[in-house]
Amino acid sequence: MGEKTIEVSNENFEEEVLNADVPVVVDFWAPWCGPCKMIAPVLEELAEENEGELKVAKVNVDHNQGLARKYQVSSIPNLVFFNEGEAVDRQVGFTSKEALIEKVDNLV
């Protein structure tokens, strides 16, 4: 995990994601997932480039199966975009940084 992304779990999901004062991209991932490892540096760059305007959080689905079920995560990586506590968009699977920038621009 990078310096700008934060790890969230059942314990702090509400505080860090649902009650955040900026939009949040939540990366549902697992350590054994190859595409998850590929998208991690892209998400770190997004977090750095949008610091103060966007939060990037990571949820390990192996340790937080309840959250994965709640947000209907069946494939990973699965990015869920939250704005004002609501899930407003989603990206399943690896995608380009450009495509993610477009989604982030629609959020912020």
Side-chain angles (χ1 to χ4, degrees):
M1 194 170 41
E3 298 163 20
K4 300 290 182 199
T5 57
I6 58 167
E7 185 76 35
V8 294
S9 63
N10 291 316
E11 289 74 36
N12 64 351
F13 189 85
E14 184 173 348
E15 176 191 342
E16 293 288 352
V17 177
L18 302 181
N19 296 333
D21 52 3
V22 294
V24 185
V25 179
V26 179
D27 175 20
F28 288 88
W29 72 288
W32 46 263
C33 165
C36 297
K37 291 177 184 168
M38 290 169 43
I39 205 166
V42 175
L43 293 171
E44 182 66 30
E45 286 175 26
L46 277 180
E48 214 167 284
E49 291 165 9
N50 294 281
E51 194 170 5
E53 296 177 16
L54 177 77
K55 187 186 288 190
V56 179
K58 298 176 77 66
V59 173
N60 183 326
V61 296
D62 288 344
H63 300 141
N64 299 281
Q65 293 173 353
L67 282 174
R69 269 193 306 278
K70 181 175 182 178
Y71 292 100
Q72 295 146 7
V73 173
S74 56
S75 299
I76 54 174
N78 194 320
L79 307 178
V80 182
F81 298 79
F82 286 84
N83 198 1
E84 297 177 358
E86 297 290 319
V88 295
D89 200 357
R90 178 179 299 258
Q91 169 63 48
V92 180
F94 183 80
T95 190
S96 69
K97 183 177 178 183
E98 291 71 28
L100 290 177
I101 287 171
E102 195 173 307
K103 286 182 178 284
V104 165
D105 285 348
N106 289 333
L107 269 184
V108 293

